[in-house]
Amino acid sequence: RGATNFSTTRSWERRPLNLDISSNMKPPVENVKVSSKGRDILIQAKRHTGLRQWNELLRWAFCLSLANPMKPKFTAKMDTGLEPIEWSTFAGPLSDHFAATFAWRAAQDEVDLADRAALGDYFRAHIERGVTSLRTLKSLESLVGQVS
């Protein structure tokens, strides 16, 4: 498979959506995967923040990426650096919220919500971009400062 580019619409050209996002949303992926480069960044982030669980850092990474108004870029050449984490472990009790927020953002970025492969690629692109944004973390306070 080739690279998927999600950057065809400018962020200021987004159209209003009439999207029914309700509870019991289906997750975009069954397992969250991170590249080897991402794993290395997460190891460093764990050390600097004191957060002990991968899912905690991945949740922060996902939210940081969603907060970025630009569409993430995705390259199909992604190795797996971490053991895949099940969606339920990644999202925990916020599963429906994460799935609904992701579906809303995907629709905003004109990703076909019926195309499971495209949704999976788009989700992984958000995870990788979010993890990359953790690269310069020095403390938990600096992580909180990125979102405030």
Side-chain angles (χ1 to χ4, degrees), residues 102-121:
F102 175 76
W104 178 84
R105 176 62 189 266
Q108 282 286 315
D109 287 345
E110 299 178 353
V111 176
D112 182 358
L113 298 178
D115 184 343
R116 300 299 294 167
L119 283 175
D121 289 346

Side-chain angles (χ1 to χ4, degrees), residues 2 10 24 27 29 43-44 73 84-85 109 117-119 135 137:
R10 294 183 200 110
N24 298 319
V29 295
I43 290 169
Q44 182 180 9
K73 296 181 189 322
I85 298 171
D109 287 345
L119 283 175
R135 186 179 57 233
L137 281 182

Side-chain angles (χ1 to χ4, degrees), residues 15 33 49 109 116-117 121 144:
R15 56 186 165 67
K33 299 176 185 174
T49 63
D109 287 345
R116 300 299 294 167
D121 289 346
V144 173

Side-chain angles (χ1 to χ4, degrees), residues 49-107:
T49 63
L51 295 174
R52 299 187 187 280
Q53 303 297 320
W54 296 118
N55 62 332
E56 294 171 324
L57 284 167
L58 288 171
R59 288 175 191 171
W60 278 99
F62 181 57
C63 290
L64 287 170
S65 182
L66 289 176
N68 183 334
M70 300 303 295
K71 293 179 185 177
K73 296 181 189 322
F74 178 79
T75 304
K77 297 177 184 177
M78 186 178 96
D79 61 336
T80 301
L82 280 180
E83 254 329 283
I85 298 171
E86 290 183 14
W87 173 267
S88 60
T89 301
F90 161 74
L94 300 173
S95 180
D96 285 345
H97 298 288
F98 282 133
T101 303
F102 175 76
W104 178 84
R105 176 62 189 266

